[in-house]
Structures are given as structure tokens and as C-alpha cells.
Amino acid sequence: MSESIPSTPLPNLAAIFRGIKAGRHWCFGDLEYSDLNGELFDAYRDFFGQLNLTLHRDPRGFVFATDEDADDDKGNDRISKYVVLTAVWVDALADQGRDIGKSIFTERQRVEDLPHFATEGHRRLMEQVGINSVDELQGILKGLERQGFVDWSSDGRFTPRPAFHRFLDVCLAAKVATEGTDVTGKQTGEISSEEGLS
Amino acid sequence: MLISLQEAASFLSSYHPVIDELWRRQNLSFSEAELLAIIRATPAQASPGYVLTQLKRMRFIAEADAQRGEWELSLPFVRWLEHLQMLARPVSSAVVQARLTILTQTLEAFTAATTRNDWADGRDNLRSARETIQQLTDDLAQTRAAIATTVGEVKSEHRRQGAVERFRRINRLWQDYLLPILEMLNPTGQLEVLCASWGRQLTLATEQGFLPERRIAERIDRDIQYLRVSLRQSFRECRNEMEPLHASLRRDSLLAEGAARILRQLEQDSMVSTTLLNSVCFSTFRFAGRISEEAIESSLARVREITAPPHLIEFGSAQVPQEAGDVEDILNAVHELPASAFPINDLLNWLARNHGDRDFHALLQAFSLLVSDTRFLARFVAPIGEYAIAGGVVRCGQVSLEFRNAA
């Protein structure tokens, strides 16, 4: 048996619980974010901890939960699409010499302006995970709204929210994974150009 | 053969378009034929051969590679042009190290001169020390200016250079110039130890009457203090210039390299590493057993002392076989219990103990009917626990059951 339920009343508990079930990420500006990110964070975390749900508070301005019982392989196709669309986005911005973080988090972007299908190489990679057109890319980005990763405005433009950092973190993790081993876990022995950084 | 200033200035005045062109291509070296072509392309009055000879004679150009017969702008001339353009170059740690070595040697010589009471030698040592300290201060100012210029260039080159290349450039500055300044700031580092030693030796020399005037020592002390201040100021300014750009480029560079890895792997293996995908896990609240979400929400509502009755647990027909007989039997068994058997403190435990041989779904259905039966009063209490019942697992708070009229 785990520890007892905290006695502090927790606002918006039902809405938050429903959100957790849907994989919701609450960002700065969300009603629930101010509840979750406030002084009751520990109480929420303890409460959901008893359901084997771990609540995470990210200093970049979002809160989300993970499920300890989650089946790792479940939803990998969907997550593959998210990761690849992010990696292609980063790769294209780097090719253009753009400021990556600033460009991705630009407000009110048009899907048509995204660089995902601008080159043959990127188009092929997108198709490999089943995103074959700008319309399908739009569908994926719309899906991300439900989980709090992007906002869509009525004029058909979208704005990535702070939680989108989670996908960028995968790119950072891939880089870290290559310092000694590649992403498949093989030893590479590659020396990083960033060695010796402070 | 010395070149007079007037002669050099006159030549530059007449043939500056040639110098401009060579300066524009300052990172290249040229054969004589190429140099002649460059001279011909400018509106020079004299013959190209004459201009080339003068360029060599006045040492504006120097041999870059004697074997291949290539020439380039001579280094002192390049430095002078950079000085005119206010193009400062950062001073390398090797140069700074060499100056510290000179300062150490000068201190040793000054100490020996003090011992010998050789004021003429001592005076030369002090002059040399002041010059070296002044040079160090100038070096820092030059490094400071060079870093500011490079940071500006890197910021403005974002359209032409990728994040990784720009990061390499700023990282090189960081490592080659900023970190050595930081090392010089170290209170137990070479510079501080040297300054302290100079301070002690000057005090001793003053006390022994070796220095004819106290202000000679005070002057060097002031120079050393000025160097220390300049050092701190240089470090602060260089860091302020570079840190935000360094951090942002470092992150962009890591992102770009990581993204490239992911895409390369996708291309090679037609998939993304499962380890990476699992790092973006989402919460998808599920139960190890087959109890419905409504049931757990009801349970949670009870735990939170929400007084509304729990929703009925509804099982989909595809998942739950119609074990009506079992359900009825369980309900009847509970109804037939004597009053003394109530309250049942742990209903799920009681069901497991007394009806564990029945169908799992039937047990759960009976459980849901009992807790929502108005004749009974069900209380859900913390903590949440796991119950192994009839081959399944239910995660739920402890539920006690009693007759409502008996309560």
C-alpha cells in the first residue's frame, strides 16, 4: 500500500485527471497550469503518485504526467511522427543558418511556410513516417493541440507552446547518445567538437 | 637600406589601389605573374614591373613560399593596416604567457640588482617591468575589442553560416581567449603570485633604501593595480559579450547535430531508436486489471470526499461475458449476510476471500452494484492498493460496506 492521500483540497482535480489520461501538457497561460505550478504542486504530485502517475514540472513553463505502467512500445508510430517532424524542422532551419529555437517558437506560423517538404531529402524522410503532404503535416500538428504542444488560432495559424521543448529534447538526447555511442547503442568512439566546453 | 617615411607615404599615395586589392585578398598568396596582373588592373601610372619591385623593396609584401615563388602582404604591414581599420586581434595565451615569463625574469634580475645594490641595473629592470605590465594591459584591451567584433560578426552571419560553424567559431574564442583570462584572475594563479612577489620586493627595496624615491615603487604598484582592474573588466565584458551567444549557439548546434543523427538513423534503419522515442512518454492512465475509468473516477471522487454517488460501472459487452448467474449469486450472498457481518471493512478483500473462484468480471460487476446500491453505504478510503482477485488485479482504495439503515 502506498502513502495516504493528502488532505489539502486540490482545485480542478477532475479536469486535470481527464487531461492526464489524454497525455495533456499544461503550459503557462492554462488555467490548470497555475494550479499545478503553484504551491500545491507537491500535493498534486503525491496524489497522482498513488496512481503510479508521475507529475513533472519543467522550468521552461509546462507541467505533464507520465505513467509508470505505460507500455513503452504503445504509440511509438505516433511519437515517431512527432520526433521526425521536429528533427526535419531543426535540420532544415540549421541548413538555412536560422536561429533554431527562435524560429520554431515563432508565433502564428502557417503550415505552408514550414520547410518540411522543401527538399527532396526531407520529403522522403517525412514520407518514411507516413507524413506525405502539407495537409497531413497539418493534421499531425492539429493533433498536437489536444496534448497542449501547439495552439491553433481561428485564422489557421499555429504557435508551438513551451511543451514542444519535449520534442527538441529528443534531438538533444540523440546528440548526447552519440557521445560514446550512437542512437542505436553501438560504440562510435567519435570525438565531439564540443569537448572541453564549460 | 632604410625606407624613409616620406618615400613610403608617397608610394602608398600613388599606388593605394594596388594595396587595397591585396588587402581585400589578404588571406591569399600570389605568384609574381598574378601580382603583375593585379597591378595592371589598377590605374597605376608607372610600369607594373616598377610597382612590384617597390612593393618588395619597401617590404609591403614578403615571400610566403620561396620555393613556389609566392608573395603575400607582410605581417607588420598587415598589422599596421589592421590598426588603421581598428581591427583588433585577440592576444593569444601564448603571448600572455611569454609576457609573464619576462615579468618573472625581470623580477629575478631586479632582486639580484637589489642584492648587489646596483641601482643602474635595477632602474632598467623597473622600466622593463613597467613596459611589460603596460603591454599586458594593452593585450587585454585588444582581446576585449576583438571579441566584441567577432561576436558582432557571428551574430550578423547567421544567414550565411550554419549554427554548428558559428558555434565552433565562438567556442574557439571562448576556449582560446576567455578561459586564459579567467586563469589569470585566479588568486593563486601565476599572475597574482607574480604581482604579489613584485609588491614584496618593491617594499623590501624601499625599506633597504635601494630605491632613491618611494614614488618609484608606488608607480609600479599603481600599474599592477590598473592591470588587475583591467583584467577583471576585460573578463566581465568578454563574458557578457559571448555568454548569451555561446549558450544559444551551443544549444542550436547540439540540436542540429542531434536532429541530423535521428534523420540519418531513419534513413539507414527505417526507424527511430526506441530509446529515444521512449524518452517522450505520455501519460495514458490504464489499469492492470480491467476496471473501467468511470470506476476509478468514482473511487477518486470518494477519496476526495465528493459526496455525489459514483457512476455505475459499465462494462462493454465485448469485454465482459454475461456471468449473470455468478453476479446474482454474489449479490444474494451479501444480502443474506447477518447484520453482525457488517460492516465489511474491505469489500474487495472480502469478495476475493469468499468468491475468488468465480469469474473476474462477475466479481467486479457485483462490486460496482454493491457500492452503488442505495441500501448500502460504501466508503472509499485511502490509500490506493492492489487487489489480486480471481486472476485479475484491481487498483482501488479500500471500500467498506455497511447497511444504510444500520449506520
Side-chain angles (χ1 to χ4, degrees):
Chain A
M1 293 282 180
S2 32
E3 43 190 280
S4 60
I5 303 286
S7 54
T8 324
L10 299 175
N12 283 317
L13 194 60
I16 290 167
F17 182 53
R18 273 196 301 276
I20 285 178
K21 286 192 295 180
R24 176 84 191 173
H25 291 58
W26 291 275
C27 299
F28 182 77
D30 291 336
L31 176 67
E32 294 86 351
Y33 178 78
S34 48
D35 291 327
L36 285 165
N37 191 44
E39 56 189 17
L40 290 175
F41 175 77
D42 288 342
Y44 279 110
R45 191 189 50 202
D46 292 346
F47 179 80
F48 288 115
Q50 295 180 78
L51 303 174
N52 283 348
L53 292 165
T54 309
L55 210 56
H56 305 269
R57 176 161 53 172
D58 193 289
R60 291 168 294 189
F62 58 96
V63 175
F64 65 100
T66 51
D67 180 358
E68 288 171 20
D69 292 337
D71 179 354
D72 282 345
D73 291 332
K74 268 258 161 88
N76 268 0
D77 280 352
R78 187 173 47 122
I79 294 174
S80 280
K81 288 182 182 177
Y82 299 157
V83 168
V84 171
L85 87 80
T86 307
V88 167
W89 200 352
V90 168
D91 199 48
L93 291 170
D95 286 348
Q96 295 167 8
R98 304 264 301 275
D99 184 332
I100 295 170
K102 212 159 140 185
S103 302
I104 285 182
F105 288 99
T106 300
E107 289 189 6
R108 297 167 47 75
Q109 305 185 54
R110 286 168 8 121
V111 181
E112 296 84 353
D113 297 336
L114 291 178
H116 293 73
F117 294 96
T119 67
E120 177 56 35
H122 287 152
R123 195 178 306 127
R124 203 175 50 242
L125 289 163
M126 294 290 283
E127 284 168 4
Q128 238 176 296
V129 289
I131 310 175
N132 300 296
S133 64
V134 172
D135 284 347
E136 287 180 14
L137 176 60
Q138 177 156 324
I140 299 283
L141 287 167
K142 290 242 180 199
L144 283 172
E145 185 176 37
R146 283 193 295 277
Q147 287 152 334
F149 290 106
V150 295
D151 262 345
W152 281 88
S153 50
S154 52
D155 59 357
R157 289 169 184 258
F158 75 96
T159 303
R161 308 183 79 212
F164 202 89
H165 277 292
R166 288 201 70 199
F167 300 127
L168 294 175
D169 288 347
V170 181
C171 296
L172 294 178
K175 170 60 188 159
V176 171
T178 58
E179 288 173 352
T181 54
D182 64 16
V183 281
T184 59
K186 297 170 197 155
Q187 292 291 323
T188 61
E190 181 181 328
I191 305 293
S192 158
S193 61
E194 283 74 47
E195 277 194 355
L197 276 179
S198 59
Chain B
M1 174 178 49
L2 291 176
I3 312 292
S4 73
L5 176 61
Q6 189 182 7
E7 192 184 357
S10 165
F11 178 81
L12 289 174
S13 167
S14 303
Y15 303 105
H16 62 86
V18 179
I19 303 294
D20 275 344
E21 189 55 30
L22 294 178
W23 171 248
R24 202 173 61 77
R25 308 187 204 179
Q26 58 170 306
N27 295 322
L28 302 175
S29 55
F30 310 94
S31 65
E32 290 199 357
E34 288 168 330
L35 283 170
L36 289 169
I38 289 171
I39 296 165
R40 270 191 213 102
T42 60
Q45 300 293 318
S47 74
Y50 166 78
V51 177
L52 180 58
T53 307
Q54 291 300 90
L55 280 171
K56 290 179 188 171
R57 191 177 75 81
M58 294 187 194
R59 299 190 294 279
F60 289 134
I61 57 172
E63 266 184 319
D65 187 334
Q67 281 187 333
R68 291 165 57 192
E70 292 201 331
W71 297 78
E72 63 185 6
L73 286 175
S74 66
L75 199 58
F77 187 49
V78 168
R79 291 282 176 271
W80 184 65
L81 291 173
E82 284 176 349
H83 175 69
L84 293 180
Q85 309 295 320
M86 293 184 71
L87 290 176
R89 280 170 188 260
V91 176
S92 71
S93 60
V95 171
V96 172
Q97 194 59 46
R99 300 217 196 285
L100 293 180
T101 304
I102 291 171
L103 208 52
T104 307
Q105 289 165 350
T106 314
L107 174 63
E108 285 164 4
F110 179 70
T111 307
T114 311
T115 311
R116 291 195 315 271
N117 204 20
D118 181 352
W119 169 236
D121 206 12
R123 190 180 47 208
D124 288 346
N125 298 144
L126 289 178
R127 190 178 300 124
S128 168
R130 288 199 69 193
E131 276 174 16
T132 310
I133 292 169
Q134 180 60 48
Q135 279 168 339
L136 274 169
T137 310
D138 290 347
D139 290 346
L140 288 168
Q142 199 177 323
T143 300
R144 210 158 60 200
I147 285 180
T149 306
T150 309
V151 167
E153 281 171 9
V154 171
K155 279 180 184 166
S156 65
E157 275 172 359
H158 68 281
R159 294 280 172 194
R160 279 176 281 136
Q161 249 179 359
V164 176
E165 189 44 49
R166 284 187 295 146
F167 175 64
R168 284 202 179 114
R169 195 165 163 201
I170 211 78
N171 196 35
R172 220 166 21 240
L173 272 186
W174 185 279
Q175 285 184 312
D176 293 352
Y177 302 107
L178 196 65
L179 295 185
I181 296 179
L182 185 62
E183 171 57 28
M184 286 167 75
L185 276 170
N186 182 353
T188 59
Q190 190 184 358
L191 178 68
E192 272 305 310
V193 169
L194 197 51
C195 290
S197 301
W198 263 106
R200 275 196 302 275
Q201 188 56 37
L202 288 169
T203 307
L204 191 68
T206 310
E207 284 169 1
Q208 288 176 349
F210 177 68
L211 297 180
E213 294 177 76
R214 179 174 288 275
R215 63 184 179 155
I216 296 174
E218 287 171 352
R219 218 156 37 213
I220 295 196
D221 257 349
R222 265 202 309 276
D223 289 344
I224 288 176
Q225 287 310 324
Y226 186 67
L227 174 63
R228 284 184 171 126
V229 170
S230 173
L231 193 62
R232 278 180 174 69
Q233 199 177 356
S234 294
F235 177 72
R236 205 169 36 243
E237 286 185 15
C238 291
R239 190 191 56 192
N240 290 349
E241 283 280 355
M242 289 172 70
E243 206 166 48
L245 185 63
H246 184 269
S248 130
L249 287 177
R250 179 170 193 269
R251 186 177 157 76
D252 275 7
S253 162
L254 293 176
L255 277 173
E257 290 188 38
R261 297 268 170 188
I262 291 173
L263 298 180
R264 200 153 49 241
Q265 195 204 8
L266 179 65
E267 220 158 32
Q268 285 166 2
D269 306 338
S270 303
M271 59 176 289
V272 180
S273 150
T274 316
T275 315
L276 286 179
L277 295 180
N278 287 342
S279 68
V280 222
C281 52
F282 290 74
S283 56
T284 44
F285 194 69
R286 290 192 299 275
F287 278 86
R290 293 163 191 81
I291 198 159
S292 72
E293 289 178 2
E294 285 76 9
I296 196 64
E297 284 196 71
S298 299
S299 176
L300 284 167
R302 289 284 184 183
V303 171
R304 299 306 314 157
E305 297 176 349
I306 296 170
T307 50
H311 300 299
L312 274 181
I313 301 174
E314 292 173 4
F315 294 91
S317 56
Q319 286 183 318
V320 185
Q322 293 300 311
E323 303 289 353
D326 270 1
V327 176
E328 284 306 310
D329 287 349
I330 296 168
L331 294 178
N332 286 338
V334 174
H335 285 298
E336 286 165 10
L337 283 174
S340 60
F342 289 93
I344 299 172
N345 290 324
D346 189 342
L347 181 58
L348 280 166
N349 196 22
W350 184 88
L351 287 169
R353 215 172 43 245
N354 296 287
H355 300 277
D357 54 339
R358 296 183 189 272
D359 180 78
F360 175 75
H361 299 290
L363 275 172
L364 288 185
Q365 196 169 4
F367 170 79
S368 77
L369 291 168
L370 286 168
V371 298
S372 57
D373 190 324
T374 51
R375 289 170 293 179
F376 295 111
L377 183 63
R379 286 199 172 90
F380 290 73
V381 290
I384 302 290
E386 281 189 354
Y387 294 87
I389 305 175
V393 177
V394 177
R395 194 172 297 141
C396 186
Q398 186 176 310
V399 179
S400 69
L401 193 74
E402 59 187 293
F403 270 124
R404 190 172 284 278
N405 57 4

